[in-house]
Amino acid sequence: MCMKPLADMIRPNKLEDIIGQKHLIGKNKVLTNLVKNKKLFSMILFGPPGTGKTTLAYTLINELNLEYGFLNAVINSKKDFDEMVYKAKMSENFVLIMDEIHRLNKDKQDLLLPYLENGTIILIGMTTANPYHSINPAIRSRCQLFELKLLSKEDIVCGLKKATNVLDNILISDDAINYIAEMAAGDLRYAYNLLEVAYYSSSKFKITLDSIKKISDKPNIYIDKNEDGYYDVISALQKSIRGSDVDAALHYLARLLVAEDLDIIFRRLSVIAYEDIGLANPSIGPRLNAAIQACERLGLPEARIPLGEIVVEMALSPKSNSSYMAINEAINDILKGNTGKVPNHLKTNSKDYKYPHSFKGSFVKQQYLPDELRGKKYYIPKASSKYEKSIKEIYEKIEKMKNRD
């Protein structure tokens, strides 16, 4: 029995056999034309797992018949890098395929950069991270960046049908193939792995929808806590609530719930309550805390119920970032050195301090900001709700009293 993984057994050797990525591969597409013109440049292939980064790298090498070496930026040592540089110097066109390139440390970068600069090494870097955020600008500037996208369900079905041709005596229903494609969520390698497990764990190699469901009943959702995909989902949740799109907010909440990460949901919703909703609906903070306490008592899967309710309410709530913007502006002044001394009458035990409660209306005209910031306005009130409108009216009344002679 061959122990080679199915994904490796059917890995394409030609660009035309690669599934998906039609924006890069096909007639008059960039990578196809590079092969046609027998020219390769340093590049970084980035995208979610199972989209074909490794396959594409090896296919380019095979099509152009180039000498190559493979390294992992995390696992391989500086000595391994030195060996690759030596091989590159002995070769006319040497390609270094590097996995997890976003984890390349400074020593390895310093070693690699001059050889990228002078063309001794052609680099094909691979990463699931966003290279614009995670890869050293010096490396990035010497490479073309190509994004690989999640495959469609149709692409996955096509790949699975090709895979059945190398599995002897396999019997699989269309329902099972479609289910695997749905569970894969754009990750072809996941689909191949699920098919292979089902094949070897079935009776007489007969794969049915029920047999697949016994192996996996959860979709392959790409939420890697160490990579951008995870933070993209969290970011999308906040932006959907901020944008009052309740359906999108529930979608991203559901993705985090399926990933069973209640802690990050609690933290991010707490941020949203005070950053994006704020004074427009000040009751949302206590209501969110009540929902969080209910979730902690209930646990999953029941925690989805109070979370779903509070997210709907947050998405449809009026929004205001006035207090968020105000504290940010105040902190920015401090960081810039715009501070000044505390006025003497505000200092501890000052006899010149006027106690507001001793005056009519609990207001007394006196300076509170340092001289250097006198007249500075941080809080810019909004009238996004009845509550903040009432605060705005109080604020404007106080400002008028301050300006009286």
Side-chain angles (χ1 to χ4, degrees):
M1 181 185 295
C2 178
M3 298 305 293
K4 192 174 183 181
L6 177 61
D8 287 342
M9 289 170 59
I10 60 175
R11 193 184 297 279
N13 291 315
K14 296 181 179 179
L15 283 180
E16 63 187 36
D17 295 328
I18 289 179
I19 295 171
Q21 312 311 332
K22 299 305 181 187
H23 61 299
L24 299 175
I25 302 165
K27 187 176 180 180
N28 291 326
K29 297 300 172 64
V30 58
L31 296 184
T32 301
N33 284 343
L34 285 178
V35 170
K36 180 181 177 181
N37 295 322
K38 301 187 183 302
K39 182 65 177 178
L40 193 64
F41 297 92
S42 290
M43 64 180 69
I44 294 170
L45 306 175
F46 69 101
T51 51
K53 296 182 291 294
T54 302
T55 295
L56 185 51
Y58 281 112
T59 301
L60 289 169
I61 297 300
N62 183 68
E63 290 256 38
L64 294 170
N65 195 28
L66 297 173
E67 187 178 352
Y68 75 93
F70 180 91
L71 290 176
N72 183 295
V74 177
I75 298 171
N76 292 107
S77 66
K78 187 172 180 294
K79 181 181 177 182
D80 298 323
F81 276 69
D82 287 331
E83 290 178 2
M84 289 296 170
V85 169
Y86 177 78
K87 287 182 180 180
K89 289 179 178 179
M90 299 297 106
S91 174
E92 195 167 312
N93 287 296
F94 184 84
V95 179
L96 174 59
I97 300 174
M98 186 179 299
D99 200 10
E100 297 196 76
I101 189 170
H102 63 287
R103 299 186 186 277
L104 199 65
N105 67 32
K106 188 177 184 304
D107 287 345
K108 295 169 186 175
Q109 288 175 25
D110 291 343
L111 177 65
L112 190 59
L113 278 172
Y115 299 105
L116 283 180
E117 186 74 46
N118 62 28
T120 302
I121 289 176
I122 299 171
L123 174 69
I124 300 181
M126 301 178 296
T127 177
T128 56
N130 185 331
Y132 297 98
H133 300 158
S134 59
I135 293 179
N136 180 285
I139 296 285
R140 196 174 66 231
S141 69
R142 290 161 175 80
C143 299
Q144 295 299 312
L145 307 182
F146 296 116
E147 180 179 8
L148 276 68
K149 299 178 181 178
L150 288 168
L151 277 66
S152 67
K153 179 184 174 182
E154 291 73 21
D155 288 333
I156 302 289
V157 168
C158 177
L160 289 169
K161 288 183 175 179
K162 284 186 177 181
T164 60
N165 295 327
V166 302
L167 296 172
D168 295 335
N169 302 315
I170 187 173
L171 293 171
I172 183 169
S173 67
D174 287 341
D175 285 347
I177 287 178
N178 287 325
Y179 181 80
I180 293 173
E182 289 174 358
M183 290 296 100
D187 184 336
L188 186 57
R189 184 173 55 227
Y190 177 91
Y192 286 152
N193 291 343
L194 183 52
L195 175 65
E196 189 172 18
V197 171
Y199 174 75
Y200 285 110
S201 63
S202 63
S203 175
K204 297 181 180 180
F205 307 120
K206 183 178 181 180
I207 304 172
T208 65
L209 180 58
D210 287 341
S211 65
I212 291 290
K213 287 184 175 180
K214 289 176 182 177
I215 298 169
S216 176
D217 62 356
K218 284 187 178 181
N220 173 47
I221 298 175
Y222 176 52
I223 301 182
D224 183 345
K225 294 185 181 181
N226 296 317
E227 305 296 352
D228 286 340
Y230 180 66
Y231 296 101
D232 287 343
V233 173
I234 300 164
S235 173
L237 172 65
Q238 179 164 6
K239 288 169 182 170
S240 298
I241 293 175
R242 180 187 295 153
S244 302
D245 191 323
V246 66
D247 298 301
L250 287 169
H251 169 78
Y252 294 114
L253 172 66
R255 288 172 71 161
L256 292 168
L257 284 170
V258 171
E260 299 185 353
D261 195 343
L262 288 177
D263 190 48
I264 191 61
I265 295 172
F266 297 161
R267 292 203 306 271
R268 185 49 63 110
L269 291 181
S270 296
V271 169
I272 297 167
Y274 293 97
E275 176 182 341
D276 295 305
I277 297 173
L279 292 172
N281 183 4
S283 67
I284 203 69
R287 289 180 59 76
L288 173 60
N289 283 335
I292 290 172
Q293 289 174 7
C295 291
E296 289 172 340
R297 287 196 299 270
L298 293 169
L300 287 169
E302 286 82 2
R304 75 190 188 282
I305 302 169
L307 283 174
E309 180 177 317
I310 196 68
V311 163
V312 168
E313 185 176 355
M314 292 174 75
L316 298 179
S317 172
K319 311 294 191 301
S320 173
N321 68 345
S322 58
S323 58
Y324 168 76
M325 298 298 290
I327 188 59
N328 284 351
E329 181 65 19
I331 290 172
N332 284 337
D333 262 350
I334 304 304
L335 295 177
K336 291 175 185 176
N338 297 333
T339 53
K341 294 181 179 180
V342 174
N344 287 332
H345 59 277
L346 297 184
K347 292 180 179 178
T348 306
N349 299 323
S350 172
K351 295 179 180 179
D352 297 323
Y353 173 61
K354 297 176 182 178
Y355 188 54
H357 296 290
S358 299
F359 293 81
K360 184 178 179 180
S362 294
F363 176 82
V364 59
K365 187 175 181 179
Q366 65 182 335
Q367 180 183 335
Y368 289 95
L369 278 169
D371 288 340
E372 293 84 349
L373 293 172
R374 192 171 182 177
K376 176 77 177 187
K377 304 297 181 188
Y378 293 114
Y379 174 62
I380 308 298
K382 294 183 177 181
S384 55
S385 69
K386 289 183 179 179
Y387 181 83
E388 192 165 14
K389 184 179 180 181
S390 66
I391 287 182
K392 182 175 184 288
E393 290 172 355
I394 294 170
Y395 175 86
E396 290 173 347
K397 181 180 178 182
I398 292 172
E399 288 300 300
K400 286 180 181 178
M401 293 170 71
K402 283 183 182 179
N403 295 326
R404 285 179 188 166
D405 292 332

